[in-house]
Amino acid sequence: MKKLNIGLVGYGFMGRTHSNAFRKAGNFFDLKYEPVLKAVCGQNLEKVTAFSKRWGYEGVETDWRKLIERKDIDLIDIACPNDLHKEIAIAAAKAGKMVLCEKPLSLNSKDGEAMVKAVEKSGVPNMVWYNYRRVPAITLAKKLIDEGRLGRIFHYRAKFLQDWTISKDLPQGGAGLWRLDAKVAGSGVTGDLLAHCIDTATWLNGGMTQVTAMTETFIKERKHTLTGKVQKVEIDDACAFLARFKNGSLATFESTRYARGHKALYTFEINGEHASIFWDLHDLHRLQYFDHRDESQLRGWKSIHVTDSDHPYMSKWWVPGLQIGYEHTFVHQVADFIESLDTKNKPKPDFREALDTQYICDTVLKSARTGKWEKIPALKV
Ligand SMILES: NC(=O)c1ccc[n+]([C@@H]2O[C@H](COP(=O)([O-])OP(=O)(O)OC[C@H]3O[C@@H](n4cnc5c(N)ncnc54)[C@H](O)[C@@H]3O)[C@@H](O)[C@H]2O)c1
């Protein structure tokens, strides 16, 4: 079997999910390439070495540039904070490496455009880890929508709620808290959480035409971990926006890190002419489905346990009735990426598709500033 030599940048939350996926994909899917964990890169030698031993990497690097220079690496996987995505991805593409990049693609659309140009100029396979597309229940939702079962779509409703930044004593910046520092994260909940909702929405329901948004930063100043000084908080703590889709449907999106009691409540509902769909991350292996065409006395919401072998991805796992979880979405993404290497099908979402989500995030933030409806621009690259 051909080898696919991986160089991972970042050994945090996503470094773990990706490493797990590279290790497991070949156990469950028939792959033509064997992912080989060649090297992991992080700035702290002791910590990155401990990570490499735990996950079975052959070696470590403490400078991502060295990782990219290595001749024995085929693919650079970017699992570090958002401000590093652009530089690493462009350097990797120039070096002819395949590039996988965590979401959001970039700090802003301009950086994203440069990244799209770089990977397309080099012609290297590229993909962004919008992993929710590979939750079997969501992949099933896509199938049902594409089959036309919902009919004309009227509404799309999504939210992603958390509660981990409510304390005013929480600092901003540095390891673990870079999401509160706009220079490193780009934005707050819009790029971090709504980017997921937008990617899923545009995949399921097509492109958006315009948005109107409001954002709020509830805690205006926080101590910065790196400077020790109290500094202005520049991220959006909460964001809500209305959107219109090209297919005529209306949408509402909401995200916050101030919804006490919610840790990662990502839900969406789609209402069509004939049927509706509802999905909830806390119950990710189920798809709720209501079809008005059912016999009236028996009509009602069905809770489909997405575990049968004819459900997306499920024939590769256990036996019907036994569910899988969050980490498997990353395994599916690795398997789909590797499968795409020998076909003409590009792995999706690629950088170009993820740039569309970046445009929508930027337009949402622009609308929150102007207080007006703003049009989603056409891709400029
Ligand atoms: N797909 C998803 O569902 C999902 C979930 C969480 C995070 N993310 C994205 O993944 C990325 C990483 O997030 P995370 O939660 O894993 O963050 P994290 O803070 O847990 O880990 C970040 C890692 O990057 C490393 N790093 C920082 N600067 C570096 C440098 N200069 N060189 C090398 N390594 C460096 C850190 O040491 C750390 O290991 C972000 O872009 C984030 O938006 C995606």
Side-chain angles (χ1 to χ4, degrees):
M1 200 196 290
K2 290 179 270 188
K3 309 267 187 210
L4 184 67
N5 293 322
I6 314 285
L8 169 71
V9 189
Y11 53 83
F13 174 21
M14 285 302 111
R16 293 165 67 226
T17 61
H18 297 188
S19 301
N20 178 60
F22 289 129
R23 287 180 67 99
K24 295 268 172 65
N27 294 132
F28 292 91
F29 291 79
D30 302 318
L31 304 181
K32 293 209 173 113
Y33 293 79
E34 179 197 351
V36 178
L37 301 181
K38 268 285 166 199
V40 52
C41 171
Q43 289 159 301
N44 181 311
L45 180 61
E46 201 181 321
K47 286 187 182 161
V48 76
T49 304
F51 182 93
S52 83
K53 287 192 177 139
R54 176 182 283 256
W55 288 96
Y57 281 83
E58 290 176 17
V60 300
E61 295 289 348
T62 51
D63 180 350
W64 57 262
R65 290 171 192 84
K66 292 253 164 62
L67 188 74
I68 289 174
E69 277 167 17
R70 282 175 58 159
K71 298 271 180 290
D72 62 344
I73 303 274
D74 303 314
L75 182 155
I76 295 292
D77 181 22
I78 305 170
C80 53
N82 308 345
D83 61 330
L84 292 165
H85 293 186
K86 176 188 166 192
E87 211 184 342
I88 299 175
I90 292 176
K94 278 191 181 150
K97 313 286 188 198
M98 304 177 200
V99 198
L100 302 187
C101 183
E102 256 306 339
K103 52 56 59 182
L105 178 65
S106 50
L107 292 178
N108 52 55
S109 307
K110 201 163 158 279
D111 286 2
E113 287 166 4
M115 293 165 78
V116 169
K117 278 185 197 156
V119 289
E120 292 187 354
K121 190 171 173 210
S122 302
V124 291
N126 55 92
M127 187 178 65
V128 178
W129 292 90
Y130 279 113
N131 58 303
Y132 289 101
R133 293 188 184 197
R134 269 96 180 175
V135 175
I138 297 183
T139 317
L140 177 62
K142 167 82 173 155
K143 183 169 174 277
L144 300 178
I145 293 166
D146 288 354
E147 286 169 356
R149 289 180 192 248
L150 274 66
R152 180 179 165 192
I153 308 281
F154 298 119
H155 294 288
Y156 194 101
R157 214 169 286 118
K159 59 178 193 266
F160 205 141
L161 311 179
Q162 298 184 334
D163 72 351
W164 63 281
T165 64
I166 295 177
S167 168
K168 64 179 180 2
D169 299 326
L170 190 74
Q172 58 171 315
L177 293 170
W178 58 264
R179 283 179 173 79
L180 282 83
D181 182 347
K183 287 187 184 60
V184 179
S187 66
V189 294
T190 301
D192 193 33
L193 304 177
L194 285 173
H196 275 303
C197 303
I198 294 165
D199 176 75
T200 313
T202 51
W203 188 54
L204 294 178
N205 197 36
M208 274 182 214
T209 56
Q210 50 183 320
V211 296
T212 185
M214 59 178 174
T215 57
E216 184 53 76
T217 305
F218 295 116
I219 310 279
K220 309 284 185 207
E221 291 186 326
R222 292 181 186 273
K223 193 170 157 184
H224 200 290
T225 313
L226 302 180
T227 63
K229 291 187 188 140
V230 174
Q231 288 177 211
K232 189 175 172 202
V233 175
E234 290 178 292
I235 57 153
D236 43 307
D237 284 337
C239 176
F241 74 94
L242 305 179
R244 285 185 181 276
F245 279 81
K246 287 180 184 159
N247 65 7
S249 57
L250 306 182
T252 62
F253 290 81
E254 186 198 0
S255 186
T256 179
R257 294 181 181 137
Y258 287 70
R260 187 61 89 197
H262 294 303
K263 305 302 167 193
L265 185 71
Y266 174 17
T267 63
F268 67 79
E269 180 166 327
I270 309 172
N271 307 129
E273 182 185 1
H274 305 301
S276 289
I277 275 173
F278 174 80
W279 178 82
D280 173 355
L281 174 55
H282 289 190
D283 227 355
L284 84 175
H285 51 277
R286 288 188 178 274
L287 189 68
Q288 312 288 335
Y289 182 75
F290 177 96
D291 197 323
H292 183 69
R293 292 162 297 194
D294 287 347
E295 187 191 333
S296 65
Q297 291 185 76
L298 298 175
R299 197 184 289 147
W301 281 88
K302 292 182 185 120
S303 175
I304 306 166
H305 199 226
V306 186
T307 60
D308 270 314
S309 54
D310 55 354
H311 285 138
Y313 300 105
M314 292 312 296
S315 64
K316 304 293 181 191
W317 294 98
W318 314 115
V319 296
L322 300 187
Q323 65 223 29
I324 58 169
Y326 177 72
E327 69 273 29
H328 302 87
T329 63
F330 296 89
V331 178
H332 299 161
Q333 193 145 0
V334 167
D336 287 347
F337 177 80
I338 290 179
E339 196 190 312
S340 78
L341 294 179
D342 281 339
T343 67
K344 286 202 175 118
N345 301 330
K346 287 192 174 158
K348 291 292 174 81
D350 57 9
F351 278 25
R352 180 168 279 280
E353 259 186 43
L355 178 60
D356 189 44
T357 295
Q358 204 63 49
Y359 276 17
I360 296 171
C361 289
D362 280 9
T363 311
V364 163
L365 294 169
K366 180 179 175 193
S367 164
R369 286 192 302 273
T370 63
K372 293 183 183 155
W373 278 92
E374 298 288 349
K375 288 202 170 80
I376 310 295
L379 289 195
K380 293 188 191 109
V381 284

